[in-house]
Amino acid sequence: MTGHFSSSLAECAKASPGGRPHARASAPAILFLLFAFILTVISPRPTQAQSQLAIAATVNDQMISMLDVEARIALSINLAELPDTPDTRRRLVGQVLRSIVDEKLRLQEAKSKEITVSRREIERAEKDFERRAGMQPGGLRAIFRKLGLDSSSFVERLESQIAWGKLVSRRYMPTIDIGDKEIDDYLADIERNKGKPEFLVSEIFLPTGAKQNLDQVRALANRLMQQINQGANFSAVARNFSQSATAARGGNLGWHSAGQLPREIDAVIGRMAPGQIAGPVEMPEGVYILRLENRRAIDPFRENAPERPDTITLHQAHYPLPEGAANLLVTATMARANDLIAGSTSCDAFDALAKQTGSPLSGALGTFPVNQLSSQLQSIVANLPVGRPSAPTRTADGIIVVMVCHRAETHKQKVMTPAERRDEVRERLIDERLNLAAEQYLRNLRRSAIVDIRL
């Protein structure tokens, strides 16, 4: 390095641009060249902290940092139980960034209309998120600590959802008038379809906008489907990746009869069995992943209709394996899992042994409706008695053993009176109108916004 510096400086001092020798180089010129060379040689490369603080995008001059994007990706991977690999992170960047951009647009618009959100409202939303995700109270904060994440990005996500809901209601609710005839027509339609099949459907929607490459979105959809089939929770994936209004409900679309959903989606659902997922279903606006939760015959006046499905509380022991693990390692890991099974006489004993795996995925998974589990997990726990470990099961990133620590039976709802049924229909129609208005409102905000993507 020293020799290279001396010869380079000497050449600069001796030769002019035309190749003729100088009598001597001026001192200021030599000092300038020396300073420029030192900057070139010792100037530090960007640190990881600097890279994280780099700007990923601006939304109407409001910055989104790479730290925001990486924190959201890390949280999404954890909540959706996806493998934390460079390939997974790369596939998620586009959808995660789009989600953050939309949150910024919603929150900016709400603040411009003087919509405020209190700390108590955010705390309630956080508890509701934990409940829907089957977490214990404080589970989100525990995940933030485990992953070393700042919670501010997630808090802003909740603030955006609450403020947007207030804004949409305030703007459009006075314009919605559901008359008696519309309710009568809706109930008459239900009665005409009595006995026909009705489907309880959940969705994950990945939009394909101007800056969303269809091949990339399709690849992400296939990746998410693969992970769901291998044990990832559909509701958790929907909450973290779906760009539909149903994301807050884990993707739940509710009960629909034939003809109420787009023709392409209707055709797919009609061929599905409960618990099955299908996709990617490509539509002009984006790509859908569908899950059929349940199927029934329409009977609007039946008694004791199910209010919600059975729920179970799951605990897990996770033995990580590297991609392409050798058969010898897999066999040895299976032996360790079988040793755990032999010593698991209760949930407490199971948890104590599961901690010894050293995996952050070991421990209590939470409480879930059975029909929202992946098909793989449903098959494992369907006939698994409470307090008894399952057989070891190979997954994409290791081997798992699960235990059902509590099982709640199906609850029944009281029979609705005609007045209560009309109220339910009115609320359903109002929600449909509000959701359509909110989607159009957000599309208009996107069109008028100045968004600069720098990734």
Side-chain angles (χ1 to χ4, degrees):
M1 176 68 73
T2 304
H4 174 71
F5 167 73
S6 301
S7 61
S8 297
L9 186 59
E11 290 295 325
C12 290
K14 290 178 182 177
S16 68
R20 293 189 300 272
H22 286 294
R24 55 182 294 191
S26 67
I30 293 176
L31 288 175
F32 173 80
L33 290 168
L34 175 62
F35 179 69
F37 181 83
I38 291 173
L39 283 180
T40 301
V41 174
I42 69 171
S43 178
R45 294 182 179 179
T47 64
Q48 181 178 2
Q50 288 171 326
S51 297
Q52 290 176 328
L53 291 176
I55 298 175
T58 58
V59 184
N60 296 326
D61 294 331
Q62 188 175 6
M63 182 190 76
I64 299 172
S65 71
M66 278 304 304
L67 181 61
D68 295 332
V69 177
E70 290 176 8
R72 182 68 61 84
I73 289 174
L75 181 63
S76 298
I77 285 174
N78 184 276
L79 293 176
E81 301 172 357
L82 299 175
D84 190 357
T85 64
D87 180 63
T88 301
R89 288 175 172 263
R90 178 179 60 79
R91 292 179 186 277
L92 297 184
V93 166
Q95 289 296 325
V96 166
L97 184 55
R98 181 188 175 98
S99 296
I100 299 175
V101 168
D102 283 350
E103 288 163 17
K104 294 284 187 187
L105 290 173
R106 293 187 186 104
L107 193 54
Q108 288 171 1
E109 181 70 4
K111 287 182 176 179
S112 75
K113 305 302 183 186
E114 299 183 347
I115 302 289
T116 59
V117 178
S118 69
R119 182 183 297 273
R120 179 168 295 182
E121 287 174 313
I122 291 175
E123 289 172 352
R124 282 201 300 265
E126 185 173 327
K127 290 177 181 177
D128 185 60
F129 185 95
E130 290 172 336
R131 179 183 61 79
R132 290 176 181 273
M135 297 181 185
Q136 298 297 322
L140 268 174
R141 300 288 168 167
I143 291 175
F144 293 142
R145 290 192 295 271
K146 180 180 76 173
L147 299 178
L149 300 177
D150 182 1
S151 64
S152 60
S153 176
F154 185 78
V155 169
E156 185 175 75
R157 170 181 171 178
L158 296 179
E159 183 185 9
S160 175
Q161 290 173 352
I162 298 166
W164 182 249
K166 288 182 177 182
L167 174 60
V168 170
S169 294
R170 190 175 79 178
R171 183 182 178 103
Y172 295 106
M173 187 67 83
T175 69
I176 297 175
D177 182 21
I178 307 297
D180 287 340
K181 185 178 185 307
E182 190 170 358
I183 295 174
D184 291 340
D185 290 343
Y186 193 97
L187 289 172
D189 187 59
I190 291 177
E191 186 63 27
R192 278 195 302 273
N193 287 292
K194 186 175 180 178
K196 295 180 181 179
E198 190 176 28
F199 309 94
L200 181 60
V201 183
S202 292
E203 66 173 356
I204 296 170
F205 173 61
L206 307 174
T208 50
K211 296 192 176 183
Q212 295 291 325
N213 181 279
L214 177 58
D215 289 337
Q216 293 176 347
V217 174
R218 189 186 292 125
L220 173 59
N222 283 318
R223 180 69 165 169
L224 294 178
M225 285 184 61
Q226 179 186 14
Q227 295 306 314
I228 292 166
N229 283 325
Q230 292 175 346
N233 183 272
F234 189 98
S235 295
V237 175
R239 273 189 295 271
N240 286 282
F241 298 107
S242 180
Q243 299 296 304
S244 168
T246 62
R249 303 192 298 273
N252 192 331
L253 272 169
W255 287 96
H256 289 272
S257 57
Q260 291 183 321
L261 294 172
R263 184 176 63 255
E264 297 88 346
I265 292 178
D266 254 355
V268 173
I269 291 171
R271 299 191 296 267
M272 295 171 67
Q276 186 179 358
I277 68 167
V281 180
E282 295 181 15
M283 302 283 285
E285 67 276 12
V287 173
Y288 289 84
I289 300 172
L290 303 170
R291 176 180 165 92
L292 181 60
E293 308 292 353
N294 207 347
R295 178 197 294 259
R296 69 186 183 191
I298 298 174
D299 187 357
F301 303 111
R302 68 187 178 279
E303 297 183 359
N304 296 324
E307 184 181 47
R308 61 179 185 268
D310 291 355
T311 59
I312 58 174
T313 301
L314 282 179
H315 291 225
Q316 173 178 274
H318 174 257
Y319 294 88
L321 285 171
E323 189 173 351
N327 290 336
L328 190 61
L329 178 59
V330 174
T331 301
T333 306
M334 277 287 187
R336 290 176 57 203
N338 281 309
D339 289 342
L340 175 140
I341 291 171
S344 297
T345 55
S346 67
C347 277
D348 288 340
F350 181 85
D351 282 346
L353 291 170
K355 287 179 181 178
Q356 297 176 15
T357 66
S359 169
L361 299 181
S362 292
L365 295 180
T367 301
F368 309 94
V370 172
N371 65 0
Q372 291 185 5
L373 298 174
S374 69
S375 55
Q376 182 186 34
L377 268 179
Q378 283 194 49
S379 65
I380 294 172
V381 304
N383 299 309
L384 188 65
V386 173
R388 183 180 299 175
S390 71
T393 302
R394 181 71 190 272
T395 66
D397 60 350
I399 293 170
I400 62 168
V401 178
V402 298
M403 179 178 282
V404 178
C405 291
H406 180 72
R407 191 186 296 270
E409 297 299 324
T410 300
H411 294 263
K412 306 292 182 180
Q413 67 181 11
K414 68 182 182 67
V415 179
M416 282 188 178
T417 65
E420 288 172 334
R421 183 166 293 278
R422 293 182 71 84
D423 287 342
E424 182 193 30
V425 170
R426 180 179 285 105
E427 290 300 318
R428 185 180 299 181
L429 292 172
I430 288 172
D431 283 346
E432 289 177 1
R433 300 274 182 85
L434 286 176
N435 286 335
L436 287 173
E439 290 173 8
Q440 182 61 52
Y441 196 176
L442 182 58
R443 280 197 293 270
N444 292 338
L445 290 178
R446 289 185 188 126
R447 280 196 290 266
S448 61
I450 301 174
V451 178
D452 180 17
I453 305 296
R454 304 189 183 182
L455 289 181

